[in-house]
Amino acid sequence: MFDDSWLEDQQALGRADVGLRRLAEAGARLRREIGEAEEPLLQIGQLDRPRAVIAAGSEARFIRAMLEPVCPVPFVAWPAYGLPGWVGALDLVVVMASEASSPALVATVHEAVRRGAQLLIACPPASTIADHAGSSSTILLPTATADPLAAAIVSLAALHRMQLGPEVDPWQVADAMDQVATDCSPYTDVAENPAKDLATGLAEAQPLVWGGSVLASRASRRVAEALRAASGRAALAADADELIPVLESAAPRDPFADPFVDAVSADRRPALVILDDGNPESPIRTADARLKATAERNDARVCVIQHATGSDVERYATLLQTGMYAAVYLAVGLGRYLES
């Protein structure tokens, strides 16, 4: 059972201090990473435009979501071991390895160096993967915080300097992260805290998470992963056409249901979580309206996380961080942190 009083209980919240503190420090980590990368970023504008860009490692799909609409050369997010067969000296391989490097990612870096490709790698300077990356064609963006998103944002700043991606201001993104930390602080009560409010809305529900734009969709999958880990329940992130049948199949709400019995039922009612980054495109607004109408028709709760100002990366980071805070508060309300 979800106990919303724990969201205001500083002792209960204290047991989630590690997760909450890491979220609160996201802006500071990004500032540190961009500061560490200042010198190599100055060299990047001198590089020739590559024939193609291949991204590997954590957050490669986020990089793809940012680059695909504007990149003037072909772009590939490569999740597999090694590299595509056509990659050579004319291409740029971007690797994000701010955390511990897997053998597959080390092999990818080794292969990029062997083929003479340009290599842009974000990783700790004293690491196995940095040792394999050493070559005259490598630019290393040193990382120190093991934060994949911070490393990806610094990599985006580098790609913009190479005229391969959109303009990104990491300092403004860090400020946006700080604002989320303020809005979602454990010391802010439910009435004014969007993350606690979302956790309360998902107290006994099955979350269905949707984001209409490419970036909001990417954030929705990350938020759904966090909600699954926090609650131990199924949480689905998908397109509108895939979520609508789930909403329509929900059994009618029983006004006489016993909350102490039915709350623990495996057949939880769905709750729709919409991540809205303010994208005005007609297909997105139409899908948004369809989802809300379907949820209303089937008496399903609708929870909206909205942020429509700032750059694409600022909006993405705000939606993602708010959802991550909500996952922590959901775990607190369910007592899952109390067990540790």
Side-chain angles (χ1 to χ4, degrees), residues 14 48 64 169 276 280 295 338:
D48 295 331
R64 179 177 66 185
D169 186 336
D276 186 354
L338 302 181

Side-chain angles (χ1 to χ4, degrees), residues 11-198:
Q11 184 176 0
L13 289 165
R15 295 187 174 95
D17 182 67
V18 172
L20 290 169
R21 188 177 297 275
R22 181 157 182 82
L23 287 169
E25 293 173 347
R29 289 195 299 274
L30 177 53
R31 291 187 187 91
R32 180 177 177 184
E33 299 292 35
I34 197 66
E36 295 281 345
E38 186 174 0
E39 184 176 340
L41 284 174
L42 294 176
Q43 309 171 25
I44 285 179
Q46 306 167 10
L47 298 177
D48 295 331
R49 176 179 291 180
R51 176 182 63 179
V53 179
I54 303 92
S58 60
E59 298 294 342
R61 289 182 175 84
F62 169 56
I63 297 289
R64 179 177 66 185
M66 289 296 301
L67 255 67
E68 276 188 337
V70 297
C71 187
V73 301
F75 178 89
V76 176
W78 188 254
Y81 175 93
L83 290 169
W86 49 264
V87 173
L90 298 177
D91 304 306
L92 172 67
V93 178
V94 182
V95 175
M96 276 127 325
S98 61
E99 301 174 289
S101 305
S102 68
L105 201 56
V106 171
T108 296
V109 168
H110 178 79
E111 187 68 11
V113 172
R114 187 185 71 80
R115 298 191 199 182
Q118 294 181 38
L119 180 61
L120 176 66
I121 180 167
C123 70
S127 62
T128 301
I129 200 162
D131 293 341
H132 282 80
S135 82
S136 59
S137 300
T138 296
I139 290 185
L140 188 145
L141 302 174
T143 65
T145 67
D147 186 331
L149 181 57
I153 292 171
V154 174
S155 299
L156 283 172
L159 291 165
H160 171 68
R161 293 192 178 212
M162 297 178 69
Q163 300 182 356
L164 296 171
E167 183 174 4
V168 176
D169 186 336
W171 304 102
Q172 289 185 358
V173 179
D175 289 343
M177 290 175 166
D178 287 348
Q179 187 59 54
V180 175
T182 299
D183 295 341
C184 300
S185 166
Y187 301 103
T188 305
D189 64 33
V190 173
E192 299 176 352
N193 188 317
K196 288 184 180 179
D197 182 62
L198 177 56

Side-chain angles (χ1 to χ4, degrees), residues 185-242:
S185 166
Y187 301 103
T188 305
D189 64 33
V190 173
E192 299 176 352
N193 188 317
K196 288 184 180 179
D197 182 62
L198 177 56
T200 303
L202 298 178
E204 303 299 341
Q206 177 197 359
L208 305 177
V209 193
W210 178 79
S213 70
V214 173
L215 282 173
S217 178
R218 173 63 186 157
S220 74
R221 282 158 173 76
R222 295 286 309 281
V223 170
E225 290 170 4
L227 293 174
R228 284 195 294 270
S231 66
R233 304 173 188 164
L236 175 64
D239 296 334
D241 288 341
E242 297 167 326

